[in-house]
Amino acid sequence: LKPIWTNRPPLRPWLVRGPPRCGQKGRAGRRRSVAFNSFADMALRLLAPRLATKTVRIEGFVPFFRRIQQDAKKKLYPRPPFLELSKDPSTRPPIPDPRDMRLVKVDLAKEMNLMVGDKVRVLFGSEKGKSGIVSRIIRDKNQVIVSGLNLKRSFWHPEPGPGKPSIVSVECPYHITNVILLDPVTKQPTRVKRRYMMNGECVRISKVSGCAMPAPVPIGVSEREELWAKHEAQALVQEKSRRGPPKDDVFGNRERFKTLVRIVRDSRAKQRASIASEAQQEAQDLF
């Protein structure tokens, strides 16, 4: 054990002489104990200022005898566990500032081992339980597009004709957590893990049946994508008409405005004349 202090002068032999031994009794033992106590008190008085100036204590060090005393005290006065004092700080840690938190974008398609051409099943929504092929993965938003599912009416058909729909429907994306891969053997939802074969090839393994997942189905360009490209080339390039009053400035062309007013007045006059003639005819018939 390391000492509590350093640079302490060695004690004199007469200071380390202990109390009377067990064999000494009577007057000799009492004289020796009295002499030891008086010499110890005198030595402490003389060395106290010197020890106080040159004592260098080590932080966190507990002497051996102090540890023995603490253990004996704990055994003598045991304390229940619920009365033990916690060593945690009494002040709560500061609330984290959300501005300091760095968000990390996770590619869920990579984590779920999902690829374009896999057969998946929808877990939630109006088309729950239906299956389809993943045609596209939107990695920025963690979304997938399943061919033939979640159709919404989107744009007018660029080449209308008999037997063609007037409004074309497109597949809206699903969040990647709303779909799940299907096991090729049991046809049940499964998770997928990656394993390396002896030749170093990385394959996807189904956790349900333990068999390797089939290669993704090649996805070609769908008819809806072609129609959308034509729609962009035709409709989206043209400038949309401005909402508001009609293109012809009716109130700016005074001659046309006067002509319209005259036509309206003539039609109203004809209506009044027809109503008056009908009323007169009914009166003649009565009398």
Side-chain angles (χ1 to χ4, degrees):
L1 296 175
K2 295 182 179 180
I4 302 178
W5 51 76
T6 57
N7 300 329
R8 179 176 176 179
L11 297 176
R12 297 291 184 264
W14 51 270
L15 282 178
V16 298
R17 187 179 303 165
R21 291 186 292 271
C22 296
Q24 292 183 347
K25 294 181 181 180
R27 194 174 297 175
R30 286 194 296 271
R31 283 198 303 269
R32 186 169 181 179
S33 62
V34 170
F36 172 78
N37 293 334
S38 60
F39 279 121
D41 294 341
M42 182 178 63
L44 289 176
R45 289 196 204 96
L46 295 175
L47 297 177
R50 189 173 179 181
L51 292 175
T53 54
K54 292 190 176 182
T55 300
V56 179
R57 297 189 178 275
I58 302 174
E59 296 182 0
F61 175 76
V62 180
F64 178 73
F65 73 92
R66 187 68 65 189
R67 283 179 280 172
I68 295 297
Q69 289 178 355
Q70 292 176 359
D71 294 342
K73 189 175 181 180
K74 287 183 179 179
K75 292 180 181 179
L76 184 61
Y77 305 104
R79 179 177 292 182
F82 59 87
L83 292 179
E84 291 290 341
L85 300 179
S86 175
K87 296 183 180 179
D88 296 335
S90 58
T91 58
R92 291 186 177 181
I95 300 175
D97 192 352
R99 295 173 293 182
D100 298 337
M101 298 174 63
R102 296 182 180 179
L103 301 179
V104 180
K105 184 175 289 186
V106 180
D107 188 1
L108 293 179
K110 184 178 179 181
E111 297 296 333
M112 298 174 63
N113 297 319
L114 191 65
M115 300 174 65
V116 175
D118 289 336
K119 189 173 183 180
V120 296
R121 179 178 295 177
V122 181
L123 297 178
F124 306 99
S126 59
E127 298 185 350
K128 174 183 176 181
K130 294 183 180 181
S131 302
I133 305 297
V134 177
S135 60
R136 187 153 60 95
I137 297 177
I138 308 173
R139 299 187 181 274
D140 296 339
K141 299 181 180 179
N142 286 326
Q143 294 177 344
V144 293
I145 293 179
V146 184
S147 60
L149 296 181
N150 201 17
L151 295 174
K152 305 294 180 184
R153 301 172 72 182
S154 178
F155 57 93
W156 292 96
H157 201 293
E159 298 176 354
K164 296 181 181 179
S166 57
I167 299 178
V168 182
S169 300
V170 298
E171 296 99 343
C172 293
Y174 283 108
H175 196 266
I176 199 168
T177 56
N178 290 353
V179 298
I180 190 168
L181 282 166
L182 292 180
D183 187 271
V185 178
T186 61
K187 308 300 181 183
Q188 295 298 323
T190 178
R191 290 185 295 173
V192 176
K193 58 185 178 181
R194 290 184 179 269
R195 292 295 180 266
Y196 289 90
M197 300 178 66
M198 296 296 293
N199 57 0
E201 181 184 1
C202 182
V203 296
R204 299 181 300 166
I205 306 296
S206 172
K207 288 191 175 183
V208 173
S209 62
C211 65
M213 298 293 293
V217 179
I219 300 296
V221 180
S222 64
E223 182 183 0
R224 294 186 179 89
E225 293 181 357
E226 294 178 353
L227 293 176
W228 174 252
K230 293 180 181 179
H231 172 70
E232 284 183 332
Q234 295 179 7
L236 300 183
V237 173
Q238 300 175 1
E239 184 181 359
K240 291 184 178 181
S241 59
R242 182 174 62 88
R243 293 183 179 181
K247 294 181 180 180
D248 296 338
D249 191 2
V250 178
F251 298 97
N253 191 350
R254 286 189 171 275
E255 296 298 330
R256 184 176 179 180
F257 179 71
K258 290 179 181 179
T259 304
L260 293 175
V261 171
R262 186 172 60 254
I263 292 172
V264 172
R265 287 178 178 175
D266 293 345
S267 63
R268 289 179 179 176
K270 289 181 180 179
Q271 290 178 1
R272 292 194 202 99
S274 62
I275 292 172
S277 62
E278 290 178 359
Q280 187 177 2
Q281 187 68 27
E282 291 178 358
Q284 292 176 0
D285 294 342
L286 290 175
F287 293 104

